[in-house]
Amino acid sequence: MPEILAADLLDPKNDYVFFRVFSEEPALLVDLINVVRRDEPAIVEVSLLNPRLTPERLSGKSLVLDLRAVDERGQRYAIEMQVRRFTHWSGCGLLYLARLLSEQLDAGTAYRRLKPVIGIHLLDFTLFEAPEQAKQALWCFEMRDRARPEVRLGRELQLNIIELRKADRLGQLPARLSAWIADFAHWQEESTMSTHPYPPVQWAIEKLRELSADEEARYWAESRAKALSDEASLLAEAREEGREEGEQIGLQKGREDTARNLIALGVLTVGQIAQATGLSLAQ
């Protein structure tokens, strides 16, 4: 394998790279799940539910490469790296988890056989921006009562969110989780990562070197990054066009309101307004 400099390593937050690393090394996925859900009993093994990458899947318009797994207790997991924030992101994430829950029900299946569905979403952006939320980067959402949050309505749905940038900035996290945060935030810093003491992260870095030296892997990683960039650019352009159109509509309405006020005050007539501005106003 050719020597790969740290500066040439693929981004582990690229969803294609993320999928390859954790689908091809399930033990790393087990460790990541355990460090995120550190207050729960540790799992020892997962089985991937969608391990194959097809050309159709890679070029799909949805641009989502998620990892789906089931542990030895039957609990379902959806692990996703998300680098782009979009409107109604939370609704999309919850709908996907609900689908994983409903997929377990075949005709005649008892509800008691439903296994919990657990989402783990790693975000390369800040989702919660209010001042009172600035000191928290790890979130765990469940079905709980508003007045008595200690009362939980079952264990069927759970969504864990890690705001990676905020988590890296805040620090003061459990050592194993901090190690994974460092992997996603500082993968190109040779001095930091080459001496990292946590074995799973060292393993992940070696896997990243392997993928970075593979021409086909680099092609797909760069294609995915370009697709996300193009999509973001198109959305930005659409928003800008919509804003400009809205400003023009607002300006036109303002001119019409001003003209009507001048007419009502007897300052100008409808004809004078039309001659001066081209506005056609009904009396």
Side-chain angles (χ1 to χ4, degrees):
M1 183 176 69
E3 182 67 23
I4 297 295
L5 299 176
D8 296 325
L9 290 176
L10 294 171
D11 188 344
K13 298 186 299 298
N14 178 291
D15 58 357
Y16 169 80
V17 177
F18 181 83
F19 186 96
R20 287 287 304 271
V21 169
F22 288 97
S23 64
E24 294 176 13
E25 306 293 349
L28 294 181
L29 184 61
V30 168
D31 190 80
L32 180 62
I33 293 172
N34 283 336
V35 301
V36 171
R37 305 182 72 243
R38 61 191 182 279
D39 297 327
E40 300 287 341
I43 62 172
V44 297
E45 184 179 1
V46 294
S47 298
L48 296 177
L49 299 179
N50 58 346
R52 294 185 65 249
L53 286 176
T54 63
E56 294 78 17
R57 190 175 178 194
L58 284 170
S59 58
K61 293 182 179 180
S62 61
L63 296 176
V64 173
L65 281 177
D66 64 314
L67 283 160
R68 295 172 58 180
V70 57
D71 68 17
E72 73 276 11
R73 290 176 286 169
Q75 297 182 121
R76 307 297 179 97
Y77 295 86
I79 300 95
E80 181 178 330
M81 176 65 73
Q82 182 63 248
V83 299
R84 180 178 60 81
R85 182 174 183 172
F86 56 90
T87 307
H88 309 307
W89 176 88
S90 59
C92 179
L94 288 173
L95 178 61
Y96 186 65
L97 286 184
R99 285 177 177 170
L100 292 182
L101 190 66
S102 66
E103 286 175 2
Q104 299 179 48
L105 284 177
D106 297 324
T109 302
Y111 288 109
R112 62 183 173 81
R113 296 186 180 275
L114 285 175
K115 299 296 183 179
V117 171
I118 300 152
I120 297 177
H121 289 194
L122 309 175
L123 311 183
D124 191 34
F125 55 85
T126 298
L127 182 63
F128 301 104
E129 299 176 325
E132 64 273 15
Q133 300 163 348
K135 298 298 184 182
Q136 183 174 343
L138 312 181
W139 307 84
C140 181
F141 296 97
E142 299 173 324
M143 293 284 287
R144 293 180 181 269
D145 182 69
R146 177 184 294 181
R148 299 183 60 187
E150 73 277 9
V151 179
R152 179 168 55 183
L153 183 65
R155 304 177 63 89
E156 287 80 11
L157 288 174
Q158 182 186 95
L159 178 56
N160 299 269
I161 293 174
I162 301 179
E163 299 171 287
L164 293 174
R165 298 184 186 184
K166 191 192 292 184
D168 181 55
R169 183 175 70 251
L170 294 175
Q172 299 180 341
L173 296 171
R176 294 188 304 158
L177 181 55
S178 293
W180 280 113
I181 298 296
D183 177 54
F184 294 123
H186 305 286
W187 81 98
Q188 288 184 314
E189 299 175 16
E190 181 71 29
S191 59
T192 300
M193 304 310 297
S194 63
T195 58
H196 203 286
Y198 190 49
V201 166
Q202 283 292 339
W203 184 358
I205 292 172
E206 287 305 311
K207 182 64 179 180
L208 189 61
R209 291 185 185 279
E210 176 188 322
L211 289 174
S212 299
D214 184 283
E215 291 186 6
E216 183 178 0
R218 293 196 73 89
Y219 168 80
W220 283 114
E222 291 166 1
S223 295
R224 295 290 289 178
K226 183 179 184 301
L228 283 172
S229 178
D230 290 347
E231 185 182 27
S233 297
L234 289 173
L235 288 173
E237 290 176 6
R239 283 194 295 268
E240 183 62 29
E241 290 177 1
R243 182 160 48 251
E244 291 178 355
E245 183 178 348
E247 290 174 353
Q248 290 297 322
I249 292 174
L251 178 61
Q252 178 74 5
K253 185 177 186 304
R255 294 173 64 196
E256 291 178 356
D257 289 344
T258 299
R260 288 193 174 92
N261 288 336
L262 292 174
I263 293 170
L265 292 172
V267 177
L268 295 172
T269 66
V270 172
Q272 289 171 323
I273 290 289
Q275 184 177 4
T277 66
L279 293 175
S280 178
L281 299 173
Q283 297 193 49

